[in-house]
Amino acid sequence: MKTKLLIVGGGPAGLSGAIAAAESGVDVLVVDEGLELGGQLVKQTHKFFGHQGFFASKRGVEIAKILKNRIEELGVKYMLQTTLVGFYEDTAVAYSREEDKTYEIDYDYVLLATGASEKFLVFKNNMLPGVYGAGAVQTLMNQYGVLPGEDFLIIGAGNIGLIVAYQIAQAGGNVRAIVEISDKVGGYEVHANKIRRMGIPILLRHTIIKAIGKDRVKGAVIAKVDENFKVIEGTEREIVADTICLAVGLQPSIELASQLGVEMVYIPELGGHVPKRDENMRTSKRNIFVAGDLSGIEEATSAMAEGYIAGYTIAQDITGKDLSEKINKYKEELADLRRGPFGKKVRSGLEKMGIVLPSGGYRTDLQKDFGPAGKLRAVMECHQNIPCNPCEAVCPTNAINMGGNINGIPHINYDKCVGCMMCVMKCPGLAIFMVQEFDEYSVVGIPYEFEPLPNVGDKVILMDRNGEDVGEGVIQRVIKNRKDKTHVVYVAMEKGLERTVRHFRVPSDEEDEIVCRCEEVTKRDVEKAIDMGFTDFEELRRYLRIGMGPCGGRTCRLITMGILARKTGKSMEEISNMNLRPPSIPISFGSILRGEKE
Amino acid sequence: MKEYRVCIIGGGIIGTSIAFHLAKLGERRVAVFERSYISSGATGRCGGGIRQQWSARMNVRLAMRSVKLFERFEKDAGFDIEYRQGGYLLMAFTEEEAERFERNVKMQREEGLDVEILSPKMVKERYPFINTENLILATFCQTDGHANPHLANFGYAFAARRLGVDIYTHAEVKDIIVQNGSVMGIESSIGSFKCDVVVNAAGAWSKEVGKMAGIDIPTTSYRHQIFVTESLRDFFPFMAISFDGNFYIRQTKHGQMIMGQGDPNEKPGVNRNVTYEFLKSMSEKMTKIFPFLENVRILRQWAGCYNMSPDAQPIVGCSKKVNGFCYAAGFSGHGFMLAPAVGEALAELIIKGSTEHVDISFLDIDRFEKGEVEIEGNVV
Amino acid sequence: MDRRIKSHPILEFEGEETVTFYFEGTPLRAKPSDTIASALIANGIDIFGWTEKGRARGFFCAIGKCSSCLVVVNGTPNIRACITKVKEGMKVERQIGRGMPLWEEKQ
Ligand SMILES: Cc1cc2nc3c(=O)[nH]c(=O)nc-3n(C[C@H](O)[C@H](O)[C@H](O)COP(=O)(O)OP(=O)(O)OC[C@H]3O[C@@H](n4cnc5c(N)ncnc54)[C@H](O)[C@@H]3O)c2cc1C
Ligand SMILES: Cc1cc2nc3c(=O)[nH]c(=O)nc-3n(C[C@H](O)[C@H](O)[C@H](O)COP(=O)(O)OP(=O)(O)OC[C@H]3O[C@@H](n4cnc5c(N)ncnc54)[C@H](O)[C@@H]3O)c2cc1C
């Protein structure tokens, strides 16, 4: 098979790269191992932040469809359920699962957009069935429509943990708690608020100690930790749950980049080991580009911008056309996305690679004013500088503004607000509410994305921002939003409660800490080996067989390096020499025999 | 400046075996310099096969001595190296090869080795999972077998360290200091060291290290590729090899099938990249002879270097031109299995001036000047 | 036990349970779009086998990377349940430890 540009990964980064290159007349082939195009997007049922150019306020699944339609229009070739297993000295090899055979691919340029994989976590009994990765739970429930349990415990309160918890609730599951070891929520406050007001506790400074159960998870023991993340004795308690969902971060999927021999750097702010690249997403090899989570864990919006930059730069190389105007436009967009406080990590990570980005220059003060009592109006509870502006874009009377920069805190001009609730339906953070005070009672309009929708007249229990019950209310109006699916439910309540109510509900033995799943290597095994005198990651790997099983080290590599760094006092950079070897997933002899060269 | 009696260049199986045997003979003023980490060279990349069925008498003797030492390894070094005497099946697919095998067996039996000659039918009866079509005959020696090369390398290194040897990793030797025809010391990336004896155990880099002392080691390095499959139940106790068929295969203790072949078109040089061509040609060949592989998945593929000598026999001894310069190089595809006997013999030579267990004078470098070479034919 | 999501505020799940496959000899129903893993979990089964050391094993990553979900399918071991579609009449068994390969007589 021959192509000018081979793109590995059909997530937002890869697809945007494909669009840019194909638009500019380049012949493109996208290879993706998933069932559908879209990468992480196909599992995301929530609305994305950002601005319209990057499909803000659309749900991940919808963005995936838009990108897919666009590449089909452009005649981009793509192969699904196909894994790029190796970049060899002599050829590149893709393996098709459906056909159970391999293909050799001849290319001039490569754009790697392989995204990221989930990190694993070490605790007792962590291998029991019922301990699942957050991505796995998402795949099952949002792609196959199967919910793997009833009572869930989520580990990690970053955006992924928060969103997965919300999605589990949407699918009808019970989220018992989110456990977070640090003293603050890592994800966006608006995501955390959606969780809190449903009454799901986010337990900060807590960790999981062990899963309970013999053949499957029956519960978990959690405990408080001190400033040094050490468990405080006596604070252990049990939580009943049949599913423990790990959302402890992502690591860039660097296997193929490593096989291609591009220069790697270890930058914790970008998620660990990442390929070194310039502002145009070009790696140390002229014809190899990267984009998206592979080049640093971030977001779909930045993944798309990076994809475009890479795609246009490659097209410029191949066709000789000057595409600098487009490239610069996306660079400016990217710089804007990364200006705010949540971009700080990425900014300092990129600075280590020599890429310096601006910060600040947006409004930071909150709106104090709650608006004129008695008027039906929107109130905004968006208190962090997130690069997102669908509310401003959708407001028909220009009542909402971000203060000139997309990272600004939105303010609302109550003279102009007509109470149309368009912003409530659009806000990806579900952080805008409607309020109106009457003489006898008040009404709050709440964005609502659960099944079943309540009926007018239903009695409901009112909940505050922390999910505490604060009284009873009656459903007054239900505004169905068939298109966007964020409905608005108006609840009538006692006067004065409109400032606190933000949600409602309808009344209705052997304990091993596994590091390497494939070879069943425990944390104790690793520590013992280090005590014996193994001080090199590669030596440890060869001695304990970590990473020699079918997963190729995806779950255990980082954990082992972390233990090694901690015990030896060496930095991650120092112990990061490693050889990642093809094929990146196991392929059978038969599939090679049935392989096609053309 | 720190002083040692012996500085060994190379922390592979050969360098660490020499260090261990020197220390066992009472010489603890020994240091090993390894440029990268222990087992980073050919040792950590090899198949781990241990075989006494050779065509050259010297190799049979060295291998038979090594087997004795492998049998004692766990006791001597305090390390389980997954050693298994499951036998080695040599398969001949041409008449000429079959005749050669029969001649070899005669010589091997003279050396006291217990070797069987098996007809294709006998092979099929013992191992129903082998397709014996086109097989002319096979030879089998039950005391042959295999071990885990990483563990053996670590075993020697840790045991040597326990006996007082210094093992420096991430320490590259840059030069050997020779004055008035005698070794004085070495210079390395971690500093200079005085010593009386330097041992070149640098594997694929033996020629470069030889040059540091002004001695030409006539070796050339060639890439060899190899891969493992997912784990299967333990059902394949022996190692199988064919020279005219050009393959070897065994099952590790962890159930993975490990296999490889030689490539006659490989260009000389240190190259550790991998090719898909290799996987394709192996898949085709191996599924014919071992049909069960068809539905087995390949996990990981890598490459290492054979350090080849002109006659495919190792070059071991101490230089008559530079006093104190010794070498153990050119191990081709069998340095792992010979390491115990070679380490022991060279240690004896350095400490006592002569060998006690196996006479290795035939392996000295001057055989090439004298023209006394016997080419080893049993290599993949 | 049926763990299929009956109604969802955002998504629609298509397909009927028209496929029959066998798990440890018991006939189970699945949708044509199911993988072995999603079908097993939908049927309330989450122990897919036991490791060499006797630990219960189930599914973990769902995308064919971690090899936690290996099962025996029609006699062939080491099949990743999470990325292999169920087929009519398929015989799925829990894998205990490592698998034994199959071979056919080619002589
Ligand atoms: C729960 C969750 C919620 C999120 N919410 C938001 C949000 O609200 N807003 C936002 O902007 N971002 C969000 N993100 C982040 C966003 O989804 C990612 O940053 C984005 O998807 C990264 O895009 P990508 O193209 O780099 O990688 P991915 O989307 O991960 O795509 C990578 C693709 O590469 C394929 N692939 C990998 N290796 C190979 C190979 N060897 N051969 C073939 N194919 C391969 C994979 O199958 C995958 O399809 C969220 C992420 C998660 C997990
Ligand atoms: C694919 C393959 C399969 C094989 N299968 C078998 C088999 O089944 N059975 C068998 O017996 N043999 C086998 N071999 C051969 C065997 O691996 C080698 O003969 C043996 O490992 C050689 O050991 P060594 O210590 O000489 O070399 P190495 O293990 O390569 O060690 C040499 C070390 O020297 C270091 N070094 C080099 N220069 C310097 C310097 N200037 N300063 C410091 N350190 C330096 C290197 O970093 C290296 O670690 C195989 C080889 C390969 C490649």
Side-chain angles (χ1 to χ4, degrees), chain A residues 8-14 31-34 36 38-41 44 46-49 82-85 113-116 138 159-160 163-164 167 191 250 253 256 291-294 298-303 584, chain C residues 65:
Chain A
V8 189
V31 175
D32 191 288
E33 58 189 4
E36 297 164 60
Q40 288 293 336
L41 297 176
Q44 306 312 335
H46 64 287
K47 295 187 288 193
F48 278 41
F49 295 117
T82 304
T83 305
L84 203 301
V85 291
T114 47
Q138 281 196 318
N159 273 328
I160 295 184
I163 286 168
V164 169
Q167 293 177 351
H191 283 324
L250 299 172
S253 298
L256 295 178
D293 280 354
L294 166 65
E298 215 177 337
E299 296 217 300
T301 39
S302 48
S584 60
Chain C
K65 303 266 172 179

Side-chain angles (χ1 to χ4, degrees), chain B residues 8-17 32-51 54 70 88 145-147 149 153 168 170-175 187-189 200-206 208-209 212 222-227 239 241 248 250 258-261 272 278 302-307 328-339 380:
Chain B
I8 298 167
I9 308 175
I13 191 76
I14 297 293
T16 53
S17 167
V32 176
F33 293 82
E34 167 52 52
R35 174 167 56 200
S36 184
Y37 52 86
I38 299 296
S39 87
S40 58
T43 305
R45 298 157 187 275
C46 86
I50 298 168
R51 143 169 79 96
W54 291 95
F70 272 120
Y88 227 108
H146 48 76
N153 204 170
Y168 299 110
H170 301 284
E172 179 171 1
V173 173
K174 306 271 196 191
D175 206 0
E187 270 163 26
S188 82
S189 59
N200 175 357
W205 298 270
S206 59
E208 285 72 26
V209 168
M212 295 178 188
Y222 292 92
R223 163 172 73 179
H224 271 250
Q225 302 191 55
I226 182 165
F227 65 87
M239 179 139 174
I241 191 166
Y248 59 86
R250 74 166 172 110
I258 183 164
M259 63 197 89
Q261 65 173 17
R272 298 192 282 191
F278 165 75
W302 65 91
C305 287
Y306 276 22
N307 188 231
F331 285 96
S332 312
H334 39 283
F336 172 66
M337 64 183 88
L338 298 186
V380 161

Side-chain angles (χ1 to χ4, degrees), chain B residues 50-114:
Chain B
I50 298 168
R51 143 169 79 96
Q52 304 158 97
Q53 303 175 67
W54 291 95
S55 78
R57 205 175 279 272
M58 192 67 229
N59 280 337
V60 176
R61 287 186 189 162
L62 273 175
M64 284 177 71
R65 176 66 190 158
S66 276
V67 164
K68 288 264 155 345
L69 295 174
F70 272 120
E71 286 169 352
R72 282 187 2 212
F73 195 105
E74 191 168 351
K75 228 171 80 211
D76 284 354
F79 223 81
D80 173 7
I81 59 167
E82 299 171 2
Y83 179 52
R84 179 167 189 183
Q85 287 179 297
Y88 227 108
L89 185 73
L90 272 57
M91 302 169 79
F93 293 95
T94 59
E95 294 294 347
E96 301 83 65
E97 182 91 319
E99 275 165 36
R100 264 197 303 276
F101 276 14
E102 282 173 331
R103 255 179 289 143
N104 290 344
V105 168
K106 201 164 147 269
M107 179 271 290
Q108 291 156 0
R109 285 177 177 161
E110 278 166 23
E111 290 294 321
L113 193 66
D114 193 355

